[in-house]
Amino acid sequence: MSKRIDVKDLNVYYGDFLAVEDVSINIEAKSVTAFIGPSGCGKSTFLRTLNRMHEVLPGARVEGEVLMDGDNLYGPGVDPVTVRSQIGMVFQRPNPFPTMSIRDNVLAGVKLNNKKISKGEADVLVESSLRSANLWNEVKDRLEKPGSGLSGGQQQRLCIARAIAVEPQVILMDEPCSALDPISTLAIEDLINDLKDQYTVVIVTHNMQQAARVSEKTAFFNIAGTGKPGKLIEYGNTQTIFNNPAVKATEDYVSGRFG
Amino acid sequence: MTATPLSSSQGAGRAGDKIFSGAALAAGCLILAVLFGVALFLVVQAIPALTAPAAEIQGGEGFFAYIWPIVIGTLIAAVIALVIATPVAIGVALFISHFAPRGLAAGLGYVVDLLAAIPSVVYGAWGAAFLAKEISPAYNWLAGNMGWLPIFQGPASATGKTILTAGIVLSVMVLPIITSLSREIFLQTPKLHEEAALALGATRWEMIKMSVLPFARPGIISAVMLGLGRALGETMAVALVLSSGALTASLITSGNQTIAAEIALNFPEASGLKVSTLIAAGLVLFVITLGVNMIARWIITRHKEFSGAN
């Protein structure tokens, strides 16, 4: 239930502006891959091209190929809606649907894809998804209450439960802990560790310790200056990137000497 | 370094604060005073009509017998207007906010706002001189094919000057209000919630159902209520379009009357108790509008827990 992603020569544009230039990267199945780099270097933008969320913005487009187990996500006739139902996403700020209960939030994606789900099946799915997101014990007595009543960290885990309820191939996380306190962050990191047994996880983070703690491979993105496109500078095992990087810029960044 | 005593207040900033809060308080009180003044005027002036012997009121059967047919007529016209205008307005607003290309959206929004700038007498003239004539064949068809429904019972009006025509004209008039307000609310939907739906594999319409409409629901209700306020109170268009008469169930024959049009048509020549009767009718309209708004508030607050405000 997880697939690998291979990106070939991807250029990402906002209108005429080239935001990310010429990225090629191979992301392993059932692993955690972290994207690090200074603000504005295009790592979030690049992440959003992996489930075709980038093109939601007017004028945004890409050139190149993103292959999920060999199938080009940008091939002719590929429906972005189908792509997104197979590649889940967790955002920087928790965004449960405020008008839905906790239970309905978990089922939101499932109801889109498979309208007829019996109450029994739904109950099982809600429990298993919330268990996988380490949230079940905290919310099992208030499933009918609004998701917006939870704490920030709980809301973010609810969003993760919502993403895994549709059984995606890949889960993308865009700075999932940047709005959370250290304890909630730890809970999410533990969860990421569990998720990689079943899913391919790609995480963007500003927190280098976090990248070091959770990921097996790390990609460092950088930007030459304002208005210049972001580039993938170095990609390798997390150990190597943090302890023995090949590129000077990577070493400067991970040792905190700039950015 | 000299310590500033905590009790001392800094001159200029303090004064500005006081002036501003005073001005805000005054504005708030003024609204209440105006509302209270209008209500008081209506009640005082209406008392003679409410206490007069039944035989002296127009129609000779008392104020209640006089007022209730035109209350029903007012509500019918307003409901027709909203039933037609609300779905169209929401559709247009969604098209402008989420579907149309940016250039077209701006132009279309401008045109819709322009509709609100047309004086109501022009709508009335258009309804009476053009729409009524053009639509009467449709009324004949309705009478012939749907006549078993009481609301479409024949014979249809030959001139087309019916409560349904008036309702259609009203719907065009309230359309821009509901559209502009809904559009503004739709545009305010947090991007985060829209993206949450899209990232789950929602199509654009599913995204609108999951994020935009639930978020906008209180705003849509407010917009509809503002439209309803205009439809209830609209005078000129109804006075010109409707060939009024006694209360009838059929929407496609002449007949029915609304409170606002009744007041406008009779006020210039009224005197004595008749004036008082018309003002009492105005009081009833005031109470209806107030009641409608309170119901709307109640609907909005009923789902507060799930509104996303917390």
Side-chain angles (χ1 to χ4, degrees), chain A residues 56 58, chain B residues 90-109 183 187 204 208:
Chain A
V56 168
Chain B
I90 291 175
V92 173
L94 275 178
F95 179 71
I96 294 174
S97 66
H98 283 84
F99 288 94
R102 211 174 286 179
L104 182 62
L108 203 59
R183 180 194 59 197
L187 287 174
R204 192 130 43 147
I208 284 169

Side-chain angles (χ1 to χ4, degrees), chain A residues 97-146:
Chain A
F97 296 113
T99 51
M100 290 184 194
S101 67
I102 292 171
R103 181 188 148 88
D104 288 344
N105 260 292
V106 177
L107 293 174
V110 185
K111 283 183 176 163
L112 285 176
N113 302 327
N114 167 21
K115 308 269 182 208
K116 288 191 195 95
I117 179 167
S118 75
K119 185 166 180 313
E121 283 174 305
D123 287 340
V124 171
L125 183 65
V126 167
E127 179 169 348
S128 67
S129 305
L130 286 171
R131 276 193 195 283
S132 307
N134 292 335
L135 190 62
W136 174 250
N137 286 325
E138 291 158 67
V139 301
K140 64 183 173 197
D141 299 322
R142 45 172 170 162
L143 292 176
E144 299 306 324
K145 292 267 186 267

Side-chain angles (χ1 to χ4, degrees), chain B residues 263 265-278:
Chain B
I263 297 173
L265 290 175
N266 293 310
F267 207 82
E269 287 121 44
S271 62
L273 191 61
K274 180 78 193 185
V275 172
S276 181
T277 312
L278 291 174

Side-chain angles (χ1 to χ4, degrees), chain B residues 130-264:
Chain B
F130 176 78
L131 181 67
K133 213 175 294 163
E134 296 298 317
I135 209 168
S136 62
Y139 291 163
N140 279 324
W141 184 89
L142 280 174
N145 294 281
M146 309 270 284
W148 49 273
L149 277 171
I151 55 168
F152 294 131
Q153 202 173 33
S157 160
T159 58
K161 292 184 160 190
T162 70
I163 191 93
L164 186 54
T165 312
I168 294 170
V169 173
L170 284 179
S171 74
V172 180
M173 297 176 71
V174 302
L175 187 71
I177 300 178
I178 306 181
T179 306
S180 325
L181 284 170
S182 307
R183 180 194 59 197
E184 289 308 313
I185 308 276
F186 293 156
L187 287 174
Q188 283 171 16
T189 311
K191 277 276 160 302
L192 213 56
H193 294 153
E194 294 185 8
E195 294 196 336
L198 289 174
L200 283 172
T203 62
R204 192 130 43 147
W205 168 235
E206 287 166 336
M207 180 271 281
I208 284 169
K209 273 194 300 186
M210 287 173 87
S211 342
V212 179
L213 292 181
F215 172 83
R217 193 172 154 280
I220 294 174
I221 294 174
S222 305
V224 170
M225 287 305 143
L226 272 179
L228 179 58
R230 173 148 199 205
L232 287 172
E234 179 49 45
T235 311
M236 213 51 221
V238 178
L240 286 178
V241 170
L242 180 60
S243 140
S244 64
L247 182 67
T248 47
S250 174
L251 304 179
I252 57 171
T253 59
S254 55
N256 295 324
Q257 177 63 304
T258 72
I259 297 176
E262 172 80 7
I263 297 173

